[in-house]
Amino acid sequence: MQAPPNAVFNPTTLRLGRGAQIELGPTSRIMAILNVTPDSFSDGGLHAAADAAVAAARVMVAEGADIIDIGGESTRPGAEPVSAVEEQRRIIPVIEALSADAGMVISVDTWRAETARLALSAGAHMINDVWGLQREPEIARIAAGQGAAVAIMHTGRDREVLADPIADQFAWFAPSLEIARRAGIADDQILLDPGFGFAKDAGMNLELMARFGELHRLGYPLLAGTSRKRFIGTLTGRDAADRDVGTTATSVALRLLGAAVFRVHNVAFNRDGLAVADAMVQSSRKREPVDG
């Protein structure tokens, strides 16, 4: 495994919408998953009602979440697509309610430009796009127009992929980043997500983890979204809802390889694991010169 450069852990600011910001680098950050759906792969239906979703988000923040990522359409393989109207019906009331909470940082998990526009207007601070701004590029202009940050994810779905997984990451992100730049999204408003589990088998996911340090050549903070993914089940033999220990192990490993933000279902487990990883990072840095 390739260790990240020391500078990866230096303080850097992720600028969000509505004048908010989050410091990355010295401390890992948690993006908590809030699926307002009946059919997500491990928690479908738990937060389908708006009041249940709002209550769950507040618990997640109390447990240590830095960002709440709200989605209204399942992205599991084989999930039935929903209409934009239905997606918006599910998430907008939740975003409106949570936007009244002081300090609540809200992300909207959508690839639809119109859903993103409505979510940002309702109080969201950033967009998490599993199609890397490429399915509806207008979403980038909407983010830029409202000063929102974006999480740009890699996917292997519905396309030919390169044999080398890191080469494929670079090939995918090149047009995504060009879309972001042309739209006017600043570099300090971008996270990159290598898309664990999205058309990647267990072996590919493990290789991507082992070579995670190579992704720092892209030059942006990295988001890791391994939570309860199938490859963890392959390794542990656990069903989706019982993969939080395995998820935490991957979070710790990826933190030591320089991931900055972790998108997870179980905040408390990952917060504890990442506290240990952060302490290891800081201890190691005390013994090494800081990159200039």
Side-chain angles (χ1 to χ4, degrees):
M1 293 192 294
Q2 182 175 334
N6 204 13
V8 166
F9 299 109
N10 289 341
T12 185
T13 298
L14 177 68
R15 284 196 303 116
L16 306 161
R18 300 177 176 271
Q21 61 184 40
I22 292 178
E23 185 180 272
L24 305 178
T27 302
S28 53
R29 299 299 181 184
I30 289 181
M31 174 186 279
I33 299 167
L34 185 63
N35 290 318
V36 191
T37 59
D39 60 343
S40 291
F41 75 96
S42 74
D43 59 355
L46 291 179
H47 312 126
D51 57 350
V54 169
R58 289 170 176 158
V59 170
M60 291 169 177
V61 170
E63 290 178 339
D66 301 286
I67 304 167
I68 303 297
D69 189 40
I70 302 173
E73 180 178 37
S74 175
T75 56
R76 65 177 174 80
E80 288 294 322
V82 302
S83 69
V85 170
E86 176 61 17
E87 179 188 38
Q88 294 154 17
R89 184 195 67 78
R90 293 173 179 178
I91 67 173
I92 298 304
V94 178
I95 294 171
E96 289 175 339
L98 291 175
S99 68
D101 289 19
M104 178 78 74
V105 176
I106 300 168
S107 167
V108 58
D109 179 2
T110 188
W111 53 268
R112 292 185 174 95
E114 179 61 9
T115 299
R117 185 186 69 80
L118 292 172
L120 294 174
S121 295
H125 302 83
M126 68 178 294
I127 298 164
N128 178 21
D129 185 352
V130 300
W131 286 97
L133 310 180
Q134 295 187 39
R135 191 159 177 180
E136 290 193 6
E138 176 64 20
I139 201 169
R141 288 187 284 274
I142 287 169
Q146 298 204 37
V150 293
I152 301 172
M153 200 193 80
H154 173 282
T155 185
R157 291 182 180 174
D158 299 337
R159 68 183 185 87
E160 294 292 326
V161 299
L162 300 178
D164 183 277
I166 299 301
D168 195 69
Q169 293 276 325
F170 279 75
W172 171 262
F173 282 128
S176 292
L177 290 168
E178 183 62 22
I179 290 168
R181 292 188 189 105
R182 288 183 177 179
I185 299 173
D187 284 348
D188 63 355
Q189 293 181 293
I190 294 173
L191 288 174
L192 298 184
D193 177 353
F196 287 100
F198 279 74
K200 302 173 182 69
D201 63 23
M204 294 167 67
N205 283 300
L206 288 172
E207 183 174 359
L208 189 55
M209 283 188 62
R211 298 176 63 188
F212 192 83
E214 297 177 47
L215 298 177
H216 295 297
R217 300 201 310 268
L218 289 160
Y220 294 88
L222 299 175
L223 183 156
T226 60
S227 191
R228 301 180 181 174
K229 292 293 174 72
R230 184 179 300 175
F231 81 97
I232 295 175
T234 299
L235 296 171
T236 64
R238 301 283 186 181
D239 292 334
D242 297 321
R243 296 172 187 165
D244 291 327
V245 174
T247 296
T248 303
T250 65
S251 294
V252 170
L254 291 167
R255 176 57 179 163
L256 298 178
L257 292 172
V261 181
F262 300 82
R263 185 178 182 273
V264 301
H265 295 87
N266 190 313
V267 174
F269 274 30
N270 285 273
R271 181 76 281 159
D272 286 358
L274 288 167
V276 175
D278 285 347
M280 292 174 66
V281 168
Q282 294 307 313
S283 177
S284 177
R285 295 191 77 210
K286 289 177 183 177
R287 299 192 301 273
E288 297 178 3
V290 176
D291 293 347

